[in-house]
Amino acid sequence: TLKNDAPIEKNPEEFQLKQINKEKLYKFLREMEFNRLLSSAISTYGEPNFEDKKEDTKIIQTQEKISNKNYFLIKDIKAIDDWIKEAEEVGELAVDTETSSLDPHQADLIGISLSSKIGKACYIPLNHNSKENINKDLVLKKLKPLLEDPSIKKIGQNIKFDFIVLLKQGIKLSSMEDTMLMSYVLDAGKNRHNMDTLSEIHLGHKTIAFKDLVGTGKKEIKFSEVDLEKAKNYAAEDADITFRLYKKFYKFLKEQKLINIYETFEKPMIEILAHMEIEGIKIDKDFLKILSSKFQKKIEKIQKEVFKLSKKEFNIASTKQLGEIIYNDLKIGGLKKTKKGGFATNASVLEDLAYKGHKFPQLILDWRQLSKLKNTYSDSLPEHINQKTKRVHTSFLLAATSTGRLASSEPNLQNIPIKSDDGKDIRKAFIAKKDYVLLSADYNQIEMRILADLADVKELKKAFKNNEDIHSLTASQIFDIEIDKITFDQRRKAKAINFGIIYGISEYGLAKQINVSNHEAKNFLNSYFLRFPEIKSYMEKTIKFCRKSGYVNNIFGRRSHFININDKNYNVRNFQERAAINAPIQGSASEIMRLAMIRLSKKLNLKRNFKTKMLLQIHDELIFETHKDDVEGISKIIIDEMSSVSKSDLHSFSIPLTVDLNIGNNWGNLK
């Protein structure tokens, strides 16, 4: 209960806000991205100062109350003709599918919504628990010519999902546009790109929530059981909002001269990734079962060692119990707590303690790593095997990172460790089908090559052109030793610096990684920048540009936004600075990979005599499944196409891109 007799000397009226510091208020609302509130505040308190007016005016202009909604439930097959005619006249059609599942490979089609005019949309029920359903086969037969017509734009929000769902029904969407990807090109790093968020930011409209229709928990129902009037309002709104967003985003992309990024790097990937997802990859279920057993034995062995050191058994997964052991029982570290007041036992804390020579935290790290591998992969991957195809179909996420790099989910195949033997064992579970092999094509040191190109690092460029060992060269430079006298340990340290520089590594981070003192690590970094001054200059210029503009560009012009680059909190600011240094490098590498995939997709479609499919894209690596008889021919095509991206019209690289090719029966044993 609030205390209602607090000793207040002033009258309540004296606490009334007499005046507003509108610039401070507007600044706060801008930073928090409360765009509707900002628009309302400006309407109430007046315009901002000249410096901020341009940005705030743009925000106000994007606010558009959704009114005059004309949403129709299609009850007669003939009524669809008018919607087809309107789409043909306009040349644009927003389309959205309602399904029984978020997995497009398992989903049944429940209904389709359409919109070709702002404020006007319809919903066609196909598979509801209702007598008002329209025959699905007749609807799809009627819509097929329209949806496959390349002269009419088909607009969707994450349209890759709809492409897969409709392809299963015998319809191949053409001339696709995607509002999620448009938003991603415009605002990567600024906000999420799901439709509900975009509607609030750009239209000032809160959409109907899916959970409000179907409920949650035990009371949750299927979408096919939702009242048709409610289903119509929800589904038609999706199509209407998508159409409205498309109109705005296309204009923004043109104004900000980002339309080429969207057209070149995003749109072609929709169909390429859809077909990769549909193809999937074969998994050795029996091998995973054996691997789970192996991991379990290792976990139990580590647990025994942990309990021996702690002198008692406890729940290792409990941060509270683990913290009590570390800080109270073993007393191996100074007390560290989380923001909520609990014991700090995260990875960085454990790594610090392990770095200082303590065995206990290293065992905990090993236990966590093995438990994660077992739970996330060896135990879970079999659950993702599609019963019809007997393969695993991951979902590639196009708008999940701030740099353009792809992510994947259900299952996530991007985070399988490659340095540890246990991580390599997981990869052995991914196998080729009978008479086929897996082929891996991996860009060699692509991020270092991009850094050399971006920063115009003469020594590195020369080494790449001469095909020299870049890490030995770096070791030679920072240790001031002839290249043929470099030791294995010196090369290892140089390699850590090379890759660490790309991610803005600190002297403390480097010290931990190569097991030297902070002072030694600082000297290594100073020596590195002395030998490669262009890299230091690039880093300084990148941070300066980002502080001023709020974003950085990669070599092709894609933007990654860092809205907290000027934050007063040192840790927040420092993290954003390091990310800003990395974004143009990682983003450019991602773009190169996209160009390679686009080229290879076209080539494979032309070379139909080859029995080869592109299955996975994992960071700088592409995985193909190819017939044993095609290995030699397809290998040459892959290397040629991936290497030739360096001669792209979009950017001419000053150094070559090289590709490592490996072949085997499983992903872990490629040679």
Side-chain angles (χ1 to χ4, degrees):
T1 305
L2 288 173
K3 188 172 177 61
N4 59 13
D5 59 349
I8 301 172
E9 296 177 3
K10 297 182 179 182
N11 294 323
E13 292 77 19
E14 293 182 66
F15 290 101
Q16 187 175 348
L17 196 62
K18 297 292 193 299
Q19 61 182 29
I20 294 286
N21 183 334
K22 66 179 185 180
E23 306 306 338
K24 194 172 182 180
L25 172 65
Y26 297 171
K27 182 175 184 292
F28 171 77
L29 295 176
R30 255 183 245 115
E31 289 176 351
M32 296 298 106
E33 297 182 22
F34 293 153
N35 294 331
R36 270 199 294 171
L37 286 175
L38 177 59
S39 178
S40 176
I42 291 172
S43 299
T44 305
Y45 302 116
E47 293 185 342
N49 61 37
F50 179 78
E51 186 180 321
D52 299 316
K53 186 174 180 179
K54 185 178 179 183
E55 183 65 25
D56 289 343
T57 301
K58 178 184 165 186
I59 290 171
I60 295 166
Q61 287 173 346
T62 63
Q63 302 302 304
E64 178 182 292
K65 294 293 180 185
I66 303 296
S67 57
N68 301 318
K69 295 184 291 186
N70 292 308
Y71 296 162
F72 302 88
L73 181 68
I74 302 298
K75 298 180 180 180
D76 184 345
I77 187 74
K78 291 181 181 178
I80 299 174
D81 292 338
D82 292 335
W83 293 87
I84 292 173
K85 184 180 177 182
E86 184 171 79
E88 289 173 340
E89 289 173 355
V90 174
E92 298 172 333
L93 173 70
V95 59
D96 185 56
T97 57
E98 298 301 336
T99 61
S100 61
S101 169
L102 292 176
D103 179 355
H105 310 287
Q106 309 274 12
D108 293 323
L109 186 59
I110 305 297
I112 300 174
S113 53
L114 309 170
S115 176
S116 289
K117 187 180 288 186
I118 286 175
K120 183 182 176 184
C122 72
Y123 180 58
I124 309 168
L126 303 175
N127 199 15
H128 281 265
N129 294 351
S130 169
K131 294 178 181 179
E132 295 186 76
N133 284 324
I134 303 180
N135 184 281
K136 185 176 79 169
D137 292 337
L138 291 177
V139 170
L140 294 177
K141 185 179 179 181
K142 194 174 274 284
L143 288 177
K144 183 178 170 72
L146 173 70
L147 296 176
E148 292 186 343
D149 187 342
S151 69
I152 297 168
K153 290 182 178 179
K154 266 66 69 177
I155 305 153
Q157 167 73 18
N158 187 20
I159 202 167
K160 174 163 64 69
F161 179 92
D162 306 285
F163 178 90
I164 296 171
V165 168
L166 290 171
L167 195 63
K168 283 169 58 186
Q169 304 294 331
I171 294 174
K172 186 179 180 183
L173 284 176
S174 64
S175 302
M176 292 178 283
E177 305 283 347
D178 195 324
T179 49
M180 178 185 76
L181 301 182
M182 288 175 139
S183 172
Y184 182 52
V185 171
L186 287 163
D187 295 322
K190 288 174 85 172
N191 52 256
R192 295 175 66 203
H193 309 284
N194 60 304
M195 194 187 70
D196 295 345
T197 299
L198 298 180
S199 178
E200 287 222 41
I201 292 173
H202 297 282
L203 303 174
H205 175 73
K206 187 173 177 61
T207 54
I208 300 168
F210 184 74
K211 66 179 181 181
D212 290 344
L213 261 70
V214 301
T216 56
K218 292 181 180 179
K219 294 183 179 180
E220 184 175 347
I221 61 174
K222 297 175 182 177
F223 188 77
S224 57
E225 298 170 348
V226 172
D227 174 75
L228 269 188
E229 186 65 21
K230 291 181 179 179
K232 176 260 291 182
N233 290 334
Y234 171 82
E237 181 185 65
D238 277 2
D240 179 26
I241 295 296
T242 299
F243 192 73
R244 291 173 189 256
L245 289 172
Y246 169 73
K247 289 295 188 182
K248 285 184 174 294
F249 290 163
Y250 191 81
K251 181 184 174 185
F252 292 163
L253 287 167
K254 285 276 193 182
E255 288 173 350
Q256 297 181 37
K257 296 180 178 165
L258 292 170
I259 192 73
N260 189 48
I261 299 294
Y262 169 68
E263 298 279 355
T264 304
F265 297 103
E266 296 296 342
K267 278 171 62 173
M269 295 299 294
I270 298 169
E271 189 169 340
I272 291 170
L273 293 177
H275 284 297
M276 288 168 63
E277 290 179 19
I278 290 166
E279 192 65 30
I281 189 167
K282 194 171 175 62
I283 294 284
D284 188 337
K285 195 174 180 180
D286 293 333
F287 177 78
L288 285 172
K289 191 174 181 180
I290 294 168
L291 202 55
S292 276
S293 178
K294 175 186 168 185
F295 286 161
Q296 184 60 37
K297 287 175 182 176
K298 281 189 171 185
I299 288 167
E300 289 171 1
K301 184 180 178 183
I302 292 172
Q303 281 180 181
K304 285 181 181 178
E305 291 186 63
V306 167
F307 296 153
K308 187 177 179 181
L309 288 175
S310 63
K311 296 179 181 177
K312 64 179 178 182
E313 292 190 9
F314 65 99
N315 181 1
I316 300 177
S318 165
T319 55
K320 184 177 184 295
Q321 292 182 39
L322 178 61
E324 287 172 352
I325 299 290
I326 291 173
Y327 299 113
N328 295 339
D329 297 355
L330 299 179
K331 294 183 172 60
I332 56 176
L335 183 61
K336 288 186 178 181
K337 292 199 171 186
T338 63
K339 288 181 180 179
K340 293 183 178 180
F343 291 118
T345 60
N346 56 31
S348 62
V349 169
L350 296 178
E351 285 166 2
D352 283 347
L353 293 172
Y355 170 61
K356 292 172 183 174
H358 298 293
K359 187 179 179 182
F360 182 84
Q362 185 57 56
L363 287 170
I364 301 298
L365 288 168
D366 294 341
W367 182 90
R368 285 182 179 177
Q369 173 75 348
L370 275 168
S371 298
K372 184 179 179 181
L373 285 175
K374 183 177 183 295
N375 296 334
T376 309
Y377 297 110
S378 62
D379 286 353
S380 299
L381 278 174
E383 297 172 8
H384 290 284
I385 296 174
N386 186 296
Q387 293 307 305
K388 290 181 181 178
T389 65
K390 305 301 180 186
R391 291 163 81 93
V392 166
H393 304 266
T394 188
S395 176
F396 289 101
L397 311 177
L398 273 161
T401 68
S402 63
T403 61
R405 175 169 273 186
L406 295 181
S408 70
S409 66
E410 302 299 323
N412 179 358
L413 303 181
Q414 302 282 349
N415 292 341
I416 302 174
I418 57 173
K419 291 181 180 178
S420 70
D421 289 336
D422 293 322
K424 289 174 184 174
D425 279 345
I426 295 289
R427 294 187 170 212
K428 289 176 185 175
F430 295 80
I431 59 175
K433 61 186 179 183
K434 187 181 178 183
D435 295 326
Y436 281 70
V437 293
L438 294 183
L439 190 154
S440 162
D442 194 346
Y443 275 116
N444 180 273
Q445 297 179 339
I446 188 169
E447 291 188 346
M448 281 300 298
R449 290 171 190 269
I450 289 167
L451 176 60
D453 186 78
L454 257 178
D456 193 22
V457 189
K458 294 172 180 58
E459 286 286 342
L460 292 183
K461 286 167 72 171
K462 180 182 174 184
F464 279 125
K465 285 176 182 176
N466 294 334
N467 204 26
E468 295 176 14
D469 179 4
I470 207 72
H471 303 311
S472 292
L473 170 76
T474 302
S476 172
Q477 292 285 335
I478 63 175
F479 293 113
D480 199 18
I481 300 172
E482 290 180 24
I483 200 164
D484 58 351
K485 293 181 180 176
I486 295 298
T487 66
F488 173 82
D489 187 58
Q490 288 169 330
R491 185 185 181 278
R492 179 184 67 84
K493 289 173 180 174
K495 183 178 180 180
I497 297 171
N498 274 333
F499 287 120
I501 287 293
I502 294 168
Y503 293 91
I505 199 167
S506 65
E507 60 190 62
Y508 180 66
L510 179 63
K512 279 207 305 182
Q513 196 165 327
I514 61 177
N515 198 24
V516 297
S517 68
N518 291 345
H519 179 71
E520 283 180 283
K522 184 178 181 179
N523 287 340
F524 287 154
L525 288 174
N526 288 340
S527 180
Y528 186 92
F529 289 130
L530 193 65
R531 297 291 184 167
F532 304 117
E534 302 98 330
I535 295 177
K536 184 72 171 176
S537 176
Y538 157 76
M539 294 167 78
E540 290 170 349
K541 285 177 182 176
T542 301
I543 291 173
K544 184 179 179 181
F545 178 85
C546 193
R547 281 179 180 154
K548 185 179 179 181
S549 64
Y551 65 85
V552 293
N553 294 309
N554 69 22
I555 56 179
F556 297 99
R558 184 193 291 271
R559 292 177 185 174
S560 296
H561 293 83
F562 297 93
I563 56 176
N564 296 315
I565 190 76
N566 294 310
D567 199 279
K568 291 178 181 177
N569 183 300
Y570 171 79
N571 290 331
V572 173
R573 187 174 70 250
N574 183 255
F575 177 81
Q576 291 264 293
E577 287 175 357
R578 287 187 283 115
I581 289 167
N582 174 249
I585 303 167
Q586 189 183 109
S588 298
S590 304
E591 236 74 288
I592 288 167
M593 180 57 83
R594 287 177 183 234
L595 288 176
M597 292 172 75
I598 293 165
R599 288 188 178 201
L600 283 165
S601 179
K602 288 178 181 176
K603 204 77 170 183
L604 291 175
N605 286 336
L606 290 171
K607 301 279 185 179
R608 294 190 180 275
N609 53 316
F610 284 112
K611 299 174 185 175
T612 303
K613 298 281 187 180
M614 189 158 47
L615 304 186
L616 300 176
Q617 191 266 300
I618 311 293
H619 304 314
D620 306 326
E621 179 183 18
L622 285 173
I623 305 292
F624 301 83
E625 189 173 50
T626 188
H627 195 275
K628 291 176 180 178
D629 296 341
D630 295 341
V631 169
E632 188 177 344
I634 204 68
S635 294
K636 186 179 185 307
I637 289 172
I638 291 169
I639 290 173
D640 288 348
E641 291 300 319
M642 290 180 71
S643 301
S644 65
V645 174
S646 62
K647 303 179 185 71
S648 165
D649 294 336
L650 299 164
H651 180 84
S652 182
F653 284 86
S654 55
I655 47 178
L657 296 176
T658 61
V659 179
D660 295 328
L661 210 72
N662 295 285
I663 299 157
N665 293 320
N666 67 66
W667 189 13
N669 283 342
L670 298 176
K671 295 179 182 178

